[in-house]
Amino acid sequence: MYYWSLNDFFALDRTEVILNHRYACVSTSYLNRFDAVEAQVEISVVNGLPTIEMVGLCDSSVKESKQRVKSAIKQSGFSFPSARVTISISPSYEKKSGSSFDLPIALCLLAATNQITIPHGVRLFCMGELSLTGDIRPTPGMLARMSAIHDATVLAIIPEDTVKEAAIGGFHAFGARNLRQICRAFRCVAYEEKPSALRLYDTLKNEGLVLSSEYALPLSDFDNRQEDVMDISFLKGQEKAKRAIVLAAAGFHNLLLVGSPGSGKSTAMHLLSKLMPPMSNDERLRCLQIKGCAGVLSPRDLLDRNRPFVEVPQSCGMRQMHGDISSSSPGLVSLSQGGILFLDEIAEFPNRILDSLRTTIDEKEINSATSAQGDTSQRPILVSGAMNPCRCGRYLDEPEKCSCSIVGRQQYMNRISGAIYDRMDIFCEMYRVNIDGLKESLSYTSAHENDEYRERIGICWERQYQRCREQNRPMMLNGQVGNGHLGDMFRVAQSELDFLAEASDKLHISARGMGRILRVARTIADYQEEIDVQRSDISEALLYRDKK
C-alpha cells in the first residue's frame, strides 16, 4: 500500500484538487448605485446533508434564486445535487440585490457537478433571471451591468431580449433563450479531446444563440440626423422667448419662463432640447444605462440621439425625484443627466421638492462611488421651469381683469424660494400673442429653422470647449463653470466688470447673481462670435435677470 506524503499532496495540480472537491467559478456583475461592479459566483459541492447556503451580503431577492435555480435545472433535464451546496458571491463586503444572479448560479452549479464542462482558458460571464422552466429573462440595468466587461476575450452570455442593447453599447455577447440551449453547447464541447474557446463559440452559434455583433449596428454607426416634429418657427410673435431658449441651449443655462396661460411656455421648453447638438457616444451610452437601471428603456430609446427631456409631474415625491441609491433605482434627476429637467407650473410644487434641487443646480460633478480612482465626470443638468404670473394668470396681459390681490400675487410668487430664483440664469416673460402673431399661427407653416439654430449652437459649444482647452480646464459649457475668477476666464475688461457691479448694486443683485449674469454675457458673446465680452452683452444679460 502506498502512503501519501505531504510533498505528494502539494505536487498535485491545484485544479485537480478543486475538481475533486466539485468546485466552479463564473463571473457576473451587480450594480452599486448606477455603476457596474464585477462579481464572482463560486460554488462548492461537498458531501453532507442536502442544504443550500448562500453567502456574500445577499438580500432576499438574491436568496430566492435558490428555488428558481433548482426548478430550472430539473425542468431542463439535469439533476440537482443531493449534497451540501455553498454559494459565495464576492466581493462579500458589498450588498447585492436583484435576480440577475440566477443564470450564473445555475451554470456554475452544473459545472461544479460535472454536468457541463467549461473549456480550459474560457472565462465565462453571464447574467439573467431564470423562470421555473429554465427560460432566461432580462432584468433592469442589463446594459449598465455589461460595462463591467473589460476583457474582449470574455465569453458573455445574456438574455436574448437584451442583445440589441449590448450591440448598441459595443459589447460582444451571446443571447440565449433558455438554460437548455446553453448547456447543449457546453456538453457538445465536453466530448472533444481538447475543447477550445473557438470551438465553443462555433457550437454556441450552431445552437441558435444570437451574437450581438451580428444583430445590430454599434452606437457610432447611427445617423445623427433628427426628425423634428416641433420647430422653433412655431413660436409666433415671441421673439424674446426665442432668444432666451437659444441662449439657454447655447450655454446650458437654467431657464424660467413666466407668462399667461396659452402663451407658449411649455412649447418653448420642449423646443429647448431640439436646439441642442446630439449627445456623444459616451453620453448616449450613459443615458441608456441609467434608463435601463430605471426599467424605462424602450426600443425607441436605442435609436434616439436627442438629449433627455424629463418633465416632472406635480405629484412627484422625493424618492421619485432623486431615486433610491440603496436599490440602484435612479430618479428623475439622474434620468435628465446631460439634458433638461422641466418643472411645468413650478410654483405648484411643494417647497421641499424645489429646495432639494439646490445641490442639483450647484453641483457640476458627479462622483462615481465604485471607482477605485474616484472617477469624476461632467454630467450637467439644465433645470427649467414655467409658471403663471399669478393664480388666475391674467396679471401680465390684462392686469385690470386680474382677480388676484397684491398680497395674493406676492404669495404666489413667493412659493418659489429666493435661493431657487437666484440660481436661475435666464428669466423671460411671455405675453399674449398679438393679432399678427395669431394670424401666422393659424397658417401652421414651419420654416424648419431647428437645423440652422442647432448648427450655430454646436459651433458655440465648440468655442467654449476650445477656451477650456486653452486654459487647461475641464471641458464644460458656460452654464457649468463654477465660481472663480470669471472675469479672467471669460475675457471681461475691468471697465465692464465695474459697470456690472454698479448695475448689480442698483438692482439689488447678489454676488451669485452677478456670476450668473457673467456666464450669460459670455454665452451671448460666444453666440455672436466675439472674442471679448462687450458692455452690450452684459446689458442684454441684465435684461434676463429676475425683476421680482
Side-chain angles (χ1 to χ4, degrees):
M1 177 181 293
Y2 179 78
Y3 293 95
W4 285 74
S5 66
L6 191 61
N7 293 333
D8 293 332
F9 178 79
F10 283 111
L12 288 174
D13 186 77
R14 182 178 179 273
T15 305
E16 183 180 351
V17 175
I18 291 177
L19 287 176
N20 290 334
H21 286 77
R22 294 191 290 179
Y23 166 89
C25 178
V26 172
S27 298
T28 185
S29 65
Y30 64 94
L31 293 177
N32 187 336
R33 285 188 155 185
F34 315 129
D35 298 318
V37 180
E38 187 175 1
Q40 303 293 329
V41 176
E42 299 174 281
I43 291 184
S44 174
V45 181
V46 296
N47 295 330
L49 292 176
T51 57
I52 305 175
E53 294 184 358
M54 185 173 290
V55 296
L57 281 183
C58 304
D59 68 358
S60 59
S61 64
V62 182
K63 292 180 179 179
E64 288 174 355
S65 66
K66 294 184 290 187
Q67 304 304 323
R68 291 192 297 269
V69 169
K70 187 174 183 179
S71 176
I73 288 177
K74 290 185 175 181
Q75 292 288 344
S76 299
F78 299 93
S79 61
F80 196 86
S82 179
R84 185 181 183 89
V85 179
T86 304
I87 304 172
S88 173
I89 304 178
S90 59
S92 300
Y93 53 83
E94 289 187 347
K95 294 183 179 180
K96 304 164 191 70
S97 62
S99 57
S100 65
F101 296 98
D102 291 4
L103 182 58
I105 290 175
L107 292 178
C108 193
L109 184 59
L110 292 173
T113 55
N114 298 322
Q115 298 183 69
I116 64 172
T117 300
I118 301 176
H120 179 71
V122 173
R123 183 184 169 199
L124 181 61
F125 179 97
C126 55
M127 54 186 171
E129 179 183 328
L130 288 176
S131 69
L132 297 181
T133 58
D135 293 333
I136 303 175
R137 299 168 177 170
T139 57
M142 297 295 286
L143 184 58
R145 296 174 196 270
M146 291 195 66
S147 61
I149 303 177
H150 302 296
D151 189 356
T153 61
V154 172
L155 173 59
I157 300 178
I158 60 176
E160 189 178 54
D161 295 339
T162 60
V163 174
K164 191 172 183 180
E165 298 179 26
I168 293 291
F171 301 108
H172 296 280
F174 284 95
R177 293 187 299 273
N178 51 61
L179 183 62
R180 292 184 297 273
Q181 192 181 24
I182 303 172
C183 294
R184 280 197 303 265
F186 280 101
R187 298 190 80 175
C188 289
V189 177
Y191 293 116
E192 299 182 1
E193 284 188 21
K194 294 182 179 179
S196 62
L198 185 59
R199 175 58 180 159
L200 178 59
Y201 293 163
D202 294 336
T203 308
L204 289 171
K205 290 181 183 179
N206 295 335
E207 290 295 336
L209 275 74
V210 181
L211 187 59
S212 61
S213 59
E214 300 174 357
Y215 191 85
L217 294 174
L219 185 66
S220 58
D221 289 345
F222 283 116
D223 195 353
N224 291 344
R225 291 177 296 178
Q226 305 173 14
E227 296 181 1
D228 295 333
V229 178
M230 302 176 63
D231 193 84
I232 195 172
S233 59
F234 290 174
L235 289 178
K236 308 293 184 181
Q238 297 285 3
E239 299 304 321
K240 184 179 179 181
K242 275 188 183 181
R243 179 71 170 177
I245 63 173
V246 167
L247 292 178
F252 222 84
H253 296 290
N254 301 323
L255 174 64
L256 178 61
L257 296 181
V258 181
S260 305
S263 59
K265 302 185 297 294
S266 298
T267 301
M269 286 300 185
H270 283 84
L271 285 170
L272 188 56
S273 63
K274 306 292 183 182
L275 300 179
M276 293 183 178
M279 288 188 288
S280 64
N281 293 337
D282 293 339
E283 290 176 321
R284 188 73 196 110
L285 181 59
R286 181 63 180 177
C287 179
L288 293 175
Q289 290 175 348
I290 294 177
K291 283 189 175 182
C293 294
V296 296
L297 184 62
S298 65
R300 184 179 178 182
D301 294 328
L302 299 177
L303 304 176
D304 186 15
R305 296 184 62 88
N306 283 324
R307 294 190 173 270
F309 182 88
V310 179
E311 186 168 354
V312 182
Q314 293 184 3
S315 59
C316 176
M318 292 292 290
R319 183 169 182 173
Q320 184 181 0
M321 176 69 81
H322 297 282
D324 186 3
I325 294 178
S326 61
S327 61
S328 298
S329 177
L332 298 179
V333 171
S334 299
L335 289 171
S336 62
Q337 288 183 18
I340 300 164
L341 184 70
F342 175 47
L343 295 90
D344 198 7
E345 300 298 338
I346 188 173
E348 303 295 338
F349 283 85
N351 289 335
R352 62 189 185 91
I353 295 294
L354 296 180
D355 291 339
S356 69
L357 293 175
R358 294 186 189 181
T359 54
T360 301
I361 298 174
D362 289 339
E363 283 182 353
K364 307 302 178 183
E365 298 175 343
I366 297 178
N367 294 317
S368 174
T370 59
S371 174
Q373 290 138 0
D375 179 35
T376 301
S377 56
Q378 296 289 331
R379 297 169 194 160
I381 298 174
L382 193 158
V383 179
S384 61
M387 62 181 295
N388 295 330
C390 61
R391 174 70 65 177
C392 70
R394 300 177 182 174
Y395 180 68
L396 281 182
D397 294 317
E398 300 174 309
E400 66 280 356
K401 295 183 179 180
C402 178
S403 60
C404 304
S405 63
I406 297 177
V407 176
R409 287 195 296 269
Q410 191 64 33
Q411 288 178 345
Y412 183 79
M413 298 297 291
N414 287 341
R415 297 191 67 172
I416 305 176
S417 65
I420 298 297
Y421 274 119
D422 210 30
R423 284 168 169 81
M424 289 293 177
D425 296 335
I426 297 177
F427 297 81
C428 181
E429 296 175 343
M430 296 183 67
Y431 295 86
R432 187 177 60 186
V433 181
N434 56 25
I435 183 67
D436 295 332
L438 291 174
K439 290 180 179 179
E440 291 181 10
S441 62
L442 290 176
S443 62
Y444 199 74
T445 57
S446 173
H448 300 288
E449 299 176 359
N450 280 11
D451 292 337
E452 178 183 348
Y453 278 101
R454 189 184 299 115
E455 181 180 359
R456 189 171 177 184
I457 290 173
I459 296 174
C460 183
W461 281 24
E462 183 56 34
R463 290 175 64 90
Q464 298 170 56
Y465 291 145
Q466 180 61 31
R467 183 166 53 249
C468 293
R469 285 190 287 265
E470 293 174 354
Q471 299 176 359
N472 294 323
R473 292 190 291 112
M475 306 296 287
M476 61 181 67
L477 300 174
N478 293 333
Q480 304 168 238
V481 177
N483 296 325
H485 300 287
L486 297 180
D488 296 334
M489 287 190 291
F490 290 160
R491 297 180 61 93
V492 186
Q494 186 59 44
S495 58
E496 314 305 339
L497 293 175
D498 295 339
F499 169 75
L500 174 60
E502 294 175 3
S504 300
D505 181 60
K506 293 179 181 179
L507 297 175
H508 305 288
I509 297 175
S510 65
R512 182 191 290 119
M514 286 181 57
R516 303 282 176 182
I517 293 172
L518 275 179
R519 294 181 181 93
V520 176
R522 180 65 262 181
T523 299
I524 295 172
D526 289 332
Y527 189 72
Q528 297 174 168
E529 299 183 359
E530 298 173 352
I531 298 177
D532 298 329
V533 175
Q534 307 296 327
R535 181 165 300 191
S536 59
D537 303 328
I538 297 178
S539 299
E540 183 179 357
L542 284 167
L543 296 176
Y544 296 114
R545 283 308 296 172
D546 180 27
K547 306 301 188 299
K548 178 173 175 283

